[in-house]
Structure formats: C-alpha cells, structure tokens
C-alpha cells in the first residue's frame, strides 16, 4: 500500500509569526493523531523566509510533518543573484522542493529546460522534487491535454534516471483548475493520471508508472477532497488556498486517513 499525500504550498502568504502559529497547531495535531496519520505523507511549503522557523518547530518533534520549499535554483552556488541554492535548502533540513508550478512557468517564464535542471539538482541534493505539470486550458478533447502533458513531463524528467523516479512526486495540476471555483472533474483527473502512469511505464520500463507517486492539485477544498483522494490511481492532494486555513487543512488530512483505510 502506498502512502497518501496531503500537501500545501502557501505561495507568497504568511509571515514568520503566522507560520510559527500554524506549525505549532499542526505539530500538536500530528502528535495527537499518530495512529490515524501513520500511512500519510503530510507536507507544507511555506515561504523561503519562514522555512527555518517551520523546521525549528517540527524538527525532533516526531510529528512526521515534512517541510519544503516552493522553488530553488538549478545550481548549488555561484553568481545567481537572488536565487536560492538547493544545497543550502538541504543543509537547512528541507525534504521537498516544488518545481515548475504554473505561476513560475507563466509569470517568471520558466521553461521545461529550467525545470528539468531544477529537478536534477533537487534529486542530486537528496531532496524530493514535487514536479508540477498541467495543461493551460481545458481542451474540447482530453487527447489534446494528454499530448501536452506527455511532452511537458518527458522534457521535465529528461535529466533524471529511472531509478530517481521513486524520489519524485508528480503533481498533476491543470492550470485552468488552479485558483478556480472548482477542481477538475473526477473522470478527467482519473484519465490524466492513468495516462501519465501508462506513459511512465512505456518510457521508463517495468512498473515505474504504476509505482510513481502522482497527486492532484487545483482548487481542492474540504468539500471536494474526499472524492479526489478516493480516485483509485491518485496518491493524494496538493492544496493551495483552502489549506491557508489550518482547520480546513486538518479536515483534509483526516479525510485522507479515512480514505486510506479503505483504499
Ligand atoms: C496551486 O496553486 O497549485 C493550487 C492548487 O492552488 P488552489 O488550491 O488555490 O487552486
């Protein structure tokens, strides 16, 4: 049985003080619900400035909560003004690094070439990339989206070996469903995830696609989370806005633990 993942990226939200407050409550929740959450992977990606504060609260707390970053550079050090080194993130104690989010691609013009270099740098530094992929618009026929996903995913994974796939989390986030009023339809999510698994089986051989961790993100809420988590081939949820409210995030973690029991 694979673990179910429940994660959130806070984007450019929450000060250090707000992060501390949230993390203390999360730590308490995780510690008091050890049995329920034992087969879950729960991660939070605060802003860079708040990562250390989050780590200090969760480190040695035996809470199982993982802290990550929302991006990093593809180089470990050097003349990259304003960038954040993956080596330094590892040194700080970071476990996960998000890469290729739709906002990075669209607003900051990140290309698949850049994303592939970041994925390789994160793996090299022994952290887990959360690789975001997704088509920009909801097409009239899903095949158009699947073809786009194929090219994007293979480009983004072009610098890694098949043995590294087990250390990568693929977040399928259709761009049109991010920050929207509703998540993508369940049958649409299922078809996309099944397609990605078949693609990885074909390209990397063996059961790589079946074993791959693939989660869904895009307007997940406490109302929609349960059905999305229950999709047979989906390994979890990646939440934006809804998880800024800790009560909602905890609700979704509890849902995941219930779904996990019957999955
Ligand atoms: C996201 O930005 O990746 C995301 C999933 O956000 P939201 O849940 O707010 O749509």
């Amino acid at each position: 049985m694979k673990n179910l993942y429940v994660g959130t990226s806070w984007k450019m939200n929450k000060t250090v003080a707000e992060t501390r407050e949230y993390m203390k409550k999360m730590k308490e929740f995780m510690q008091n619900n050890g049995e329920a959450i034992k087969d879950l992977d729960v991660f939070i990606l605060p802003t860079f400035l708040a990562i250390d504060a989050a780590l200090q609260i969760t480190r040695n707390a035996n809470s199982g909560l993982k802290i990550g970053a929302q991006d990093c550079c593809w180089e470990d050090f050097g003349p990259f003004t304003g960038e954040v080194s993956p080596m330094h993130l590892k040194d700080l104690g970071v476990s996960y690094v998000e890469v290729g989010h739709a906002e990075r691609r669209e607003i900051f013009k990140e290309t698949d070439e850049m994303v592939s270099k970041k994925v390789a740098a994160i793996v090299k530094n022994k952290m887990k990339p959360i690789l975001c992929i997704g088509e920009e618009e909801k097409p009239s026929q899903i095949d158009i989206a699947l073809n786009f996903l194929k090219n994007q995913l293979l480009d983004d994974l072009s610098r890694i070996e098949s043995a590294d796939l087990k250390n990568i989390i693929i977040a399928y986030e259709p761009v049109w469903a991010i920050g929207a009023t509703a998540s993508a339809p369940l049958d649409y999510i299922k078809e996309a995830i099944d397609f990605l698994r078949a693609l990885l089986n074909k390209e990397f051989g063996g059961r790589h696609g079946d074993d791959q961790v693939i989660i869904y993100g895009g307007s997940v809420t406490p109302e929609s989370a349960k059905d999305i988590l229950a999709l047979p081939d989906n390994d979890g949820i990646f939440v934006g806005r809804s998880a800024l409210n800790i009560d909602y995030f905890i609700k979704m973690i509890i849902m995941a633990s219930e779904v996990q029991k019957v999955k």
Side-chain angles (χ1 to χ4, degrees):
M1 181 179 66
K2 277 199 260 177
N3 274 9
L4 265 182
Y5 287 68
V6 183
T8 177
S9 164
W10 289 350
K11 309 192 182 194
M12 202 170 68
N13 293 294
K14 295 198 188 289
T15 62
V16 173
E18 288 165 342
T19 302
R20 283 205 184 98
E21 198 188 330
Y22 192 116
M23 288 301 163
K24 280 184 197 153
K25 289 187 191 157
M26 273 305 295
K27 183 177 90 175
E28 203 180 310
F29 166 76
M30 300 288 283
Q31 285 178 329
N32 292 339
N33 292 275
E35 182 54 30
I37 57 159
K38 69 177 174 14
D39 297 321
L40 302 184
D41 266 69
V42 181
F43 64 85
I44 298 180
L45 317 180
T47 69
F48 282 126
L49 293 176
I51 288 176
D52 195 38
L55 283 168
Q56 285 188 23
I57 290 166
T58 52
R59 189 179 284 141
N60 303 326
N62 202 22
S63 66
L65 186 60
K66 312 248 181 18
I67 303 299
Q70 299 173 18
D71 187 30
C72 70
C73 186
W74 56 80
E75 295 290 343
D76 284 346
F77 53 86
F80 299 93
T81 301
E83 283 294 301
V84 175
S85 154
M87 188 175 77
H88 296 174
L89 288 172
K90 176 67 183 175
D91 184 51
L92 203 59
V94 161
S95 322
Y96 294 159
V97 185
E98 181 180 10
V99 58
H101 186 272
E103 287 148 17
R104 301 280 336 154
R105 293 181 192 261
E106 192 191 328
I107 305 169
F108 302 102
K109 307 293 171 221
E110 280 191 11
T111 62
D112 286 319
E113 165 87 2
M114 290 153 87
V115 171
S116 72
K117 283 157 71 176
K118 290 182 181 196
V119 170
I122 296 161
V123 168
K124 189 194 82 178
N125 279 287
K126 306 211 174 338
M127 296 177 291
K128 294 191 175 189
I130 302 165
L131 169 60
C132 301
I133 57 165
E135 73 282 5
E136 279 153 38
E137 282 171 24
K138 186 165 192 253
S140 51
Q141 305 212 323
I142 195 170
D143 285 357
I144 300 171
L146 300 182
N147 194 44
F148 175 90
L149 289 174
K150 174 182 168 189
N151 293 330
Q152 189 179 51
L153 182 61
L154 295 182
D155 282 355
D156 293 351
L157 294 178
S158 60
R159 288 180 160 79
I160 61 119
E161 305 291 330
S162 54
D164 296 323
L165 283 173
K166 63 179 181 308
N167 295 317
I168 296 176
I169 297 153
I170 295 174
Y172 170 53
E173 299 206 312
V175 180
W176 50 271
I178 293 176
T181 48
S183 53
L186 291 172
D187 56 347
Y188 190 100
I189 300 172
K190 183 178 179 328
E191 196 163 347
I193 291 181
D194 287 347
F195 171 82
L196 295 172
R197 294 197 185 284
L199 174 68
L200 293 172
N201 279 338
K202 180 165 168 271
E203 295 293 328
F204 290 90
R207 289 179 42 90
H208 278 105
D210 303 308
D211 296 340
Q212 182 63 47
V213 175
I214 305 181
I215 63 179
Y216 168 81
S219 299
V220 179
T221 62
E223 289 72 40
S224 63
K226 197 165 181 183
D227 288 342
I228 296 172
L229 284 159
L231 283 172
D233 292 325
N234 178 29
D235 296 317
I237 48 175
F238 193 21
V239 189
R241 286 158 300 162
S242 292
L244 290 171
N245 178 324
I246 189 167
D247 295 335
Y248 291 176
F249 192 46
I250 286 178
K251 243 187 202 174
M252 290 186 267
I253 296 169
I254 294 169
M255 270 173 204
S257 71
E258 283 162 5
V259 170
Q260 182 69 317
K261 279 187 219 146
V262 292
K263 219 168 174 182

